[in-house]
Amino acid sequence: MDFFGVMLARGSHQTHDETLKVAGTSSVARAWSGTFDDLVGGVMMEFFGKYTAMDLPGLAPYPDFFAAGLILLLAGLLAFGVKESTTVNKIFTAINIVVLVFVVIAGFIKGDIANWHITLDTLLNNTDAINPNFTSTDKLTSVFGDGGFFPYGFEGTLAGAATCFYAFVGFDCIATTGEEVKNPQKSIPIGIVASLLICFVAYFAVSAALTLMMPYYLLSLQSPLPVAFQYVGWGPAKYVVAVGSLCALSTSLLGSMFPMPRVLFAMARDGLLFKSLSKVSARGSPVVATLSSGLVAAFMALLFDLKALVDMMSIGTLFAYTLVAICILILRYQEGDSDNSEVRMFDTTTKCGCIKASAHANAKTSHRVTSLTVFCIACVIGICVILAQAMDALLEHRAWSLVCVSILAAAVLVAVWVMWIQPQNATKASFMVRLEGTGLHSGRRCIRVSRREENEGRACPPFSTVPCLPVLPVLSVFINVYLMVQLGGDTW
């Protein structure tokens, strides 16, 4: 769905993209610092935790000066025109793949299936190894669950899925390459789906191997993979995995920092931000934008811990995908330009005899769908809040919870049905035009065919649109909002 909404709102998309890149840069720098600190024996954690401890809610236990300094160093290099090396990136990527395969294979070799069936008694018997400060069973289970394959239950699994949604950041990069491919209607969806599958397999395989190698309650929060290899007795492999992790994080850090100033530069050039951010150096690098974004990212890496930064990325991504789904609903039912003879409308007939729908989208149907969309989103938010905060009441079949969910669900179904019978607009935006003479195609279907192509009998390629409207966008909003409410209050 990101493919269909990437061009809907350029300014808001750029702002969101920049926010995610800043948070992503800070989180990667924090992860780099934690991995390196574990590699040198936890010296930085011990020193900073002793002399610069921060006892404030929502902040890290201690300021990570190493992560902040790393970001400032790279920002300074990029500001003076030092660009990422393709050769170094290829080498690091090859190392990442090798280490990833090694971790998965080693995990299944040294893994123990019993680590997926840990009982509550095992947790209680290992209290000293987990945390000797836990003096009650309730306190222990509130942190580490009840054991078993789903120690935190279904709700905990969904909360983890919401936190790990940062893995699906950046697929707009695939969608924005639509002007560079010959058949974007086919290539871009395949590329997005293939990338999703690769990310899923990678995260699933490493997570499975990691939890097989070591009980989940003993995993290191800062550097889990090296510690897991040390736990199974493969001490030398700890350093191999740590170096591979640093290579992966270095590539990710540079890759996230490099486009940050470019986004700020583009927004400043378009008048969306201060003009000073559009200044470039003699080498053509956006100096002010690079240093500004680097300072913000360094400040966040200095104060916030890794989990808070990851949650920021996750909630930002979910919110962006929610906006895309809402924009699709609104734009597909907008009033068309009836004076333009080159634009063809769907000849939508009435789908139900009791409600007369216009044959073409007009101002009345557009306003109706917009109002229904707002109403539907409000009902979906209500359902998600009840499911997240009153799940126990629903499982106990309490009348008030069942009535509330039933009424809201029925309202959503009615609103979706009324939107479904409304006529859709087939107008394609100006960026869907085939760029004649350049060989480039946009990521949408072109709706205007040049006279030369018409004379030669060549037609524009078929376009792709979101199927199952309005059910699919509403379902997407429901899933995204439900995952967002699973995140903690500190994230909001």
Side-chain angles (χ1 to χ4, degrees):
M1 189 168 293
D2 199 88
F3 162 65
F4 298 98
V6 70
M7 295 293 290
L8 294 179
R10 181 179 179 184
S12 60
H13 171 76
Q14 287 178 326
T15 303
H16 162 262
D17 192 41
E18 175 66 14
T19 304
L20 284 185
K21 282 183 172 58
V22 171
T25 299
S26 304
S27 62
V28 173
R30 267 279 183 176
W32 206 104
S33 175
T35 303
F36 181 78
D37 188 34
D38 182 78
L39 191 61
V40 297
V43 176
M44 292 189 296
M45 179 184 295
E46 181 179 355
F47 178 81
F48 291 130
K50 181 179 180 180
Y51 295 102
T52 60
M54 295 189 302
D55 189 15
L56 295 175
L59 298 181
Y62 61 89
D64 196 336
F65 294 100
F66 185 85
L70 181 63
I71 293 176
L72 292 176
L73 176 62
L74 290 179
L77 293 175
L78 292 175
F80 289 98
V82 178
K83 299 184 178 180
E84 57 184 339
S85 171
T86 303
T87 303
V88 173
N89 276 338
K90 288 181 179 179
I91 295 174
F92 280 178
T93 302
I95 295 175
N96 299 341
I97 296 175
V98 172
V99 172
L100 181 66
V101 174
F102 172 74
V103 168
V104 174
I105 295 176
F108 284 100
I109 292 176
K110 297 294 292 183
D112 185 1
I113 195 66
N115 289 329
W116 284 359
H117 301 283
I118 297 172
T119 62
L120 182 58
D121 293 336
T122 303
L123 286 174
L124 296 176
N125 294 333
N126 289 274
T127 302
D128 293 336
I130 298 173
N131 192 330
N133 295 324
F134 289 156
T135 57
S136 64
T137 303
D138 294 338
K139 187 175 182 180
L140 178 66
T141 56
S142 65
V143 178
F144 295 102
D146 299 322
F149 189 75
F150 287 99
Y152 299 100
F154 184 69
E155 294 183 16
T157 302
L158 290 178
T163 301
C164 290
F165 212 83
Y166 66 87
F168 305 104
V169 175
F171 291 102
D172 55 338
C173 296
I174 301 176
T176 52
T177 60
E179 297 181 354
E180 305 173 26
V181 295
K182 294 181 179 180
N183 188 5
Q185 294 77 23
K186 179 181 179 181
S187 301
I188 293 181
I190 291 177
I192 291 177
V193 173
S195 300
L196 288 170
L197 290 177
I198 292 172
C199 287
F200 164 73
V201 171
Y203 275 86
F204 170 79
V206 173
S207 299
L210 188 61
T211 51
L212 283 173
M213 293 171 64
M214 189 175 184
Y216 73 93
Y217 56 84
L218 296 178
L219 291 174
S220 171
L221 297 179
Q222 299 296 330
S223 187
L225 286 174
V227 174
F229 276 93
Q230 188 176 16
Y231 179 83
V232 298
W234 284 17
K238 166 186 176 180
Y239 299 99
V240 176
V241 174
V243 171
S245 300
L246 291 179
C247 290
L249 292 171
S250 299
T251 305
S252 180
L253 180 60
L254 193 57
S256 59
M257 287 193 66
F258 189 78
M260 274 198 313
R262 275 71 187 171
V263 176
L264 286 177
F265 172 80
M267 296 178 67
R269 183 185 56 191
D270 294 342
L272 300 175
L273 290 176
F274 302 108
K275 284 295 183 181
S276 59
L277 294 173
S278 62
K279 293 181 179 180
V280 296
S281 65
R283 297 183 179 182
S285 299
V287 179
V288 179
T290 301
L291 295 178
S292 299
S293 58
L295 284 173
V296 175
F299 179 77
M300 294 178 65
L302 181 69
L303 297 181
F304 296 102
D305 61 2
L306 182 59
K307 185 180 184 305
L309 295 171
V310 168
D311 286 343
M312 279 189 215
M313 292 180 60
S314 298
I315 197 171
T317 306
L318 289 166
F319 185 71
Y321 290 168
T322 302
L323 288 180
V324 169
I326 295 173
C327 289
I328 289 171
L329 270 179
I330 295 175
L331 292 182
R332 183 71 81 84
Y333 293 95
Q334 285 295 302
E335 180 182 8
D337 186 4
S338 59
D339 296 332
N340 191 347
S341 60
E342 292 180 326
V343 175
R344 299 186 296 271
M345 297 288 186
F346 284 123
D347 191 10
T348 306
T349 56
T350 303
K351 297 182 177 67
C352 179
C354 62
I355 297 180
K356 299 295 183 180
S358 172
H360 304 294
N362 52 45
K364 184 177 180 180
T365 60
S366 174
H367 178 72
R368 183 182 302 158
V369 170
T370 302
S371 301
L372 288 172
T373 299
V374 175
F375 173 76
C376 192
I377 300 305
C379 293
V380 166
I381 293 175
I383 294 175
C384 293
V385 172
I386 293 176
L387 291 178
Q389 303 298 327
M391 181 60 72
D392 294 337
L394 289 171
L395 294 177
E396 295 173 2
H397 303 289
R398 295 182 183 176
W400 69 268
S401 60
L402 295 176
V403 170
C404 291
V405 171
S406 300
I407 293 176
L408 292 174
V412 171
L413 292 176
V414 172
V416 168
W417 178 72
V418 175
M419 284 190 286
W420 176 71
I421 66 174
Q422 304 304 313
Q424 298 179 15
N425 186 355
T427 304
K428 300 294 181 281
S430 59
F431 51 76
M432 302 178 190
V433 180
R434 180 173 182 171
L435 303 178
E436 183 181 357
T438 63
L440 301 177
H441 294 73
S442 74
R444 307 291 190 276
R445 175 188 182 266
C446 58
I447 60 170
R448 297 180 178 86
V449 183
S450 65
R451 293 181 180 178
R452 185 180 65 183
E453 288 178 327
E454 290 178 346
N455 295 334
E456 294 176 358
R458 289 185 292 163
C460 229
F463 63 88
S464 300
T465 54
V466 179
C468 303
L469 252 69
V471 177
L472 190 59
V474 172
L475 181 62
S476 175
V477 171
F478 171 74
I479 295 174
N480 293 336
V481 173
Y482 185 71
L483 290 176
M484 280 193 285
V485 298
Q486 296 295 324
L487 297 172
D490 294 340
T491 306
W492 287 92

